[in-house]
Structure formats: C-alpha cells, structure tokens
Amino acid sequence: MKTSVLFVCLGNICRSPMAEAIFRHLVEEKGLTDAFDIDSAGTGDWHIGEAPHAGTAQILAQYQIPAKGMFSRQLKQEDYSRFDYIVCMDDSNIQNALPMLGVKASSKVFRLLDLVEEKKDVPDPYFTGDFEETYQLCLAGCKALLEKIDADKNK
C-alpha cells in the first residue's frame, strides 16, 4: 500500500508545488517512487490549472528538480480520506484547510516545519520574492518528513 502525502499552501503555485517536487525528488533518489502518492493543493481558487510560479520553476530547475506536469488545484474534502499526511506550509493554511477537509482537528494535518528544530511557517515567496529561502526550508522539511514517514512505518 502506498503512502500518500499532500502538500498544501494558499494558491498552490509557489510553496506546495515546490515541496511536492522536492519530496518527489528525494523519494526518487531513494528508489521509493512506487511506494508513494505525492500531490499538492491550495486552499484558494485563484490559480486553478496554472503551472507553478516562474520563481518556483526557476529555483527547482537551478537544483535540477523536475516540475513538469504540475498544475494548481484546490483542496477538496475527499483529500482527507485519500492522503495519509496533509502537510501545510503555515498556520493559516491549516486553519483554512481543516474546514475544507471536513474536520476540526487531525494529527495528519500539520506544518512542514513542525518536523525540524526551527519550527515556523514557510514564508510565501509570492509575497517575499525569496524563492531560495523557501527552497531551503522546504528541502529541510521534506527530508524530515521522509524520516518521519520511515519512523512511522517502523512503529
């Protein structure tokens, strides 16, 4: 049975597709592609059907991480039962996602950086313009997420 991971941000063009691509790349490097179902979504509907932001695409290309075939979609209630891990980029994403998922609280919905020492939100480069910072934070969080999933499977 596959482990399913959904990354969530506001518009699904910057942070969550970046985390999706990075996590997919890490999983691929470990030869675990067939063991995972990985996706991303946004809580907002402004960018549905759009490819990742140019800044996201550029930073991923710089680190040789493919983002081909990725398009924005909005989070939906069915995602709650479909995914084992619903990983949000910031607290407001969690607050927006929970009612959309039809739950008040859930241990499978958490912030990406809750898994690293420096627990904080992943800043939105759509507003900050700092795609490098977002990349580095997503990379650290995705590595920690892969470790968490491995540890959870071995419980």
Side-chain angles (χ1 to χ4, degrees), residues 3 6 10 12 14 86 110 117 146 148 151:
T3 299
L6 180 67
L10 184 59
N12 193 217
C14 292
I86 300 174
F110 55 90
E117 263 185 53
L146 199 49
K148 174 185 175 31

Side-chain angles (χ1 to χ4, degrees), residues 58-129:
Q58 183 179 4
I59 199 79
L60 290 171
Q62 178 183 323
Y63 288 99
Q64 300 174 339
I65 297 175
K68 206 173 187 179
M70 294 174 65
F71 296 97
S72 176
R73 73 172 184 88
Q74 190 172 25
L75 186 67
K76 52 190 179 211
Q77 190 166 355
E78 305 83 65
D79 289 328
Y80 187 76
S81 57
R82 179 178 164 206
F83 291 94
D84 303 313
Y85 298 87
I86 300 174
V87 187
C88 297
M89 299 297 117
D90 63 32
D91 279 331
S92 70
N93 299 149
I94 292 174
Q95 298 312 310
N96 293 330
L98 289 172
M100 293 176 79
L101 294 167
V103 296
K104 291 185 186 210
S106 173
S107 61
K108 72 173 167 178
V109 181
F110 55 90
R111 283 186 317 174
L112 178 64
L113 295 183
D114 285 346
L115 304 174
V116 299
E117 263 185 53
E118 193 180 322
K119 294 175 173 60
K120 64 178 187 175
D121 292 341
V122 176
D124 192 341
Y126 187 85
F127 300 107
T128 68

Side-chain angles (χ1 to χ4, degrees), residues 127-147:
F127 300 107
T128 68
D130 194 343
F131 287 86
E132 178 65 34
E133 176 190 31
T134 300
Y135 174 84
Q136 294 300 331
L137 292 170
C138 284
L139 179 61
C142 285
K143 285 179 177 178
L145 177 60
L146 199 49
E147 289 174 13

Side-chain angles (χ1 to χ4, degrees), residues 31-45:
L32 299 171
T33 304
D34 293 340
F36 282 88
D37 178 19
I38 305 164
D39 198 4
S40 63
T43 57
D45 62 359

